Amino acid sequence: PPGATPQLCSGPADTLTAWLHVTNACNLDCPYCYVRKSSARMSEATGRLAIEAVFANATRHGFRTVKLKYAGGEATLHFALMRRLHEYAAALSAATSISLREVVLTNAVHLRPADADWLAQEQIKVMISLDGVGELHNELRPLRNRAGFDTFAAVAHTVDHVLLPRNIRPDVNMVVTGRNAHGAADLARWTILERALPTTFTFYRPNLMSRNRAELQFEEEALIRGMLAAYDTVESELPTWPFTGGLLDRVSAEARTHACGVGQNYLVITHTGALSQCPMHLGQPVQGDLEGDLLDAVAGGPLLNLPVEQKAGCRDCAFRYRCAGGCPVETYRATGRWDVQSPNCRLYRTLLPAALRLEGLRLMKVNGYLH
């Protein structure tokens, strides 16, 4: 309501999240990927040092939980390594009384049933990249060096016949680009309505590897049409479980002052054991080793994750504590400044009311006011 004070998340975060860049290798060739592909991977020794450093910093700063994200490239290409790193992390969790959460980020083209059995047994979450339904996904996420392979069919098989039968309910992320914004509604139906999968829509961010791919840039009106169509699809068979936090890039279901965890509770560790601020800055580490206070090193790096109150154009916005000014890397790329509103501000202002309306309808349905 006008004049009301938003209830911000109180106190510091209790979870320290660490992105472990397991490998540069990948079996897909996605046009927007920011990773320079090679066969390089994290050694077990480096991985163990990384996990030790994460738990040491969690202890230093009083975090109660460590969350490890195994990423790449395609992390599942080195599944045996992930298993050994998990075992080491679980041992440190028991020794320090710091709880452990883990997630594997994967394209899900080739996830073996035996590996899924292990993920289910160890209660490790899975996040899948899916950029459309059918041929639209195939266009954006083709198999490397094998034209015509149906990667969507492979992912669908993994979801329906490997993960869901083992009660693994994967999260899904769609990178929305100029090529697939019109397919957001079909994806929402396939994931949210037909399979009750938590789904996140992330806006494409240009990077050094994709800067020549003009077709990936989205036109605002086309993206707005695609996202509103997705929201209409969700409303047609409104779920009762919370889904609002993923409906819009960098928008949180909870009010907060920072767009992401950089400098707060987030670490990125490269396959060589260097420390970076953001996965998109893998090639620009702020520290070559994992010694000392890693959060302090990240906070002192060139990427500035300012609170939303310090961003021009955001201070008086009704939605400032939902998007928190948007991705700082994208803002700096577009404007050369860290202290201004996101270049996607108009998108947020247009789509946020529609996303919040869906949450209102969901709450009404859960509490018996909507049938």
Side-chain angles (χ1 to χ4, degrees):
T5 301
Q7 298 298 308
L8 296 172
C9 299
S10 59
D14 66 356
T15 300
L16 176 60
T17 298
W19 175 290
L20 300 183
H21 184 71
V22 174
T23 181
N24 288 340
C26 188
N27 50 352
L28 298 190
D29 191 17
C30 307
Y32 54 74
C33 186
Y34 51 82
V35 177
R36 192 176 297 278
K37 301 301 189 300
S38 73
S39 60
R41 70 173 183 89
M42 179 179 283
S43 69
E44 183 175 352
T46 297
R48 290 167 71 96
L49 286 174
I51 292 169
E52 288 173 6
V54 172
F55 274 92
N57 277 264
T59 300
R60 180 195 295 260
H61 290 278
F63 289 101
R64 295 193 293 271
T65 302
V66 160
K67 181 178 181 180
L68 299 179
K69 293 185 173 183
Y70 299 100
E74 176 55 32
T76 63
L77 294 177
H78 301 288
F79 211 95
L81 172 63
M82 282 198 305
R83 291 183 65 153
R84 292 193 294 272
L85 295 182
H86 159 74
E87 292 169 1
Y88 191 58
L92 286 181
S93 172
T96 59
S97 297
I98 295 173
S99 62
L100 175 65
R101 295 164 55 200
E102 294 166 296
V103 58
V104 175
L105 310 184
T106 177
N107 57 46
V109 169
H110 181 62
L111 193 61
R112 298 174 300 180
D115 295 334
D117 287 337
W118 179 80
L119 290 168
Q121 173 187 314
E122 300 300 324
Q123 298 183 329
I124 297 174
K125 285 187 65 63
V126 175
M127 172 169 267
I128 292 174
S129 298
L130 194 62
D131 287 345
V133 175
E135 192 56 35
L136 190 58
H137 175 83
N138 295 340
E139 292 174 5
L140 279 162
R141 302 184 68 82
L143 196 68
R144 181 176 292 273
N145 300 322
R146 188 174 171 186
F149 183 85
D150 193 338
T151 55
F152 175 78
V155 175
H157 178 272
T158 296
V159 171
D160 291 339
H161 300 286
V162 178
L163 297 178
L164 290 179
R166 292 165 172 81
N167 293 318
I168 299 174
R169 184 181 175 219
D171 290 2
V172 174
N173 180 69
M174 177 183 186
V175 178
V176 185
T177 73
R179 287 177 59 180
N180 69 346
H182 65 281
D186 289 339
L187 183 94
R189 177 169 299 281
W190 197 90
T191 59
I192 297 175
L193 300 190
E194 296 178 359
R195 290 164 178 80
L197 303 180
T199 302
T200 302
F201 295 93
T202 302
F203 296 160
Y204 161 67
R205 311 198 201 297
N207 58 76
L208 291 175
M209 300 294 292
S210 68
R211 58 188 172 186
N212 296 324
R213 306 299 294 264
E215 78 278 10
L216 298 177
Q217 294 278 18
F218 50 75
E219 192 269 327
E220 281 193 349
E221 292 302 325
L223 186 140
I224 288 170
R225 287 195 300 271
M227 294 304 300
L228 289 178
Y231 297 170
D232 287 344
T233 296
V234 173
E235 185 178 345
S236 70
E237 300 177 38
L238 198 67
T240 56
W241 46 273
F243 56 83
T244 312
L247 287 182
L248 189 55
D249 177 88
R250 297 312 317 162
V251 167
S252 171
E254 296 181 329
R256 83 273 198 234
T257 57
H258 292 75
C260 64
V262 172
Q264 308 290 312
N265 64 329
Y266 188 66
L267 305 171
V268 175
I269 300 174
T270 73
H271 69 284
T272 62
L275 177 69
S276 294
Q277 291 181 287
C278 171
M280 294 189 71
H281 282 202
L282 286 169
Q284 299 95 46
V286 294
Q287 188 170 295
D289 57 35
L290 300 174
E291 299 295 327
D293 190 329
L294 301 188
L295 281 177
D296 186 58
V298 168
L303 192 168
L304 300 184
N305 182 29
L306 300 176
V308 68
E309 295 91 346
Q310 294 183 22
K311 298 179 181 180
C314 293
R315 299 184 187 97
D316 299 322
C317 178
F319 301 122
R320 62 191 179 278
Y321 295 121
R322 295 295 170 178
C323 71
C327 171
V329 172
E330 177 62 7
T331 298
Y332 187 80
R333 184 201 65 81
T335 68
R337 295 174 59 181
W338 303 102
D339 62 343
V340 295
Q341 67 201 56
S342 167
N344 296 325
C345 181
R346 180 172 173 268
L347 294 172
Y348 292 136
R349 287 175 179 267
T350 303
L351 294 172
L352 255 167
L356 293 174
R357 175 179 172 275
L358 284 180
E359 174 63 1
L361 292 173
R362 184 191 74 83
L363 290 172
M364 290 173 68
K365 184 173 182 178
V366 167
N367 289 282
Y369 294 100
L370 189 69
H371 301 286

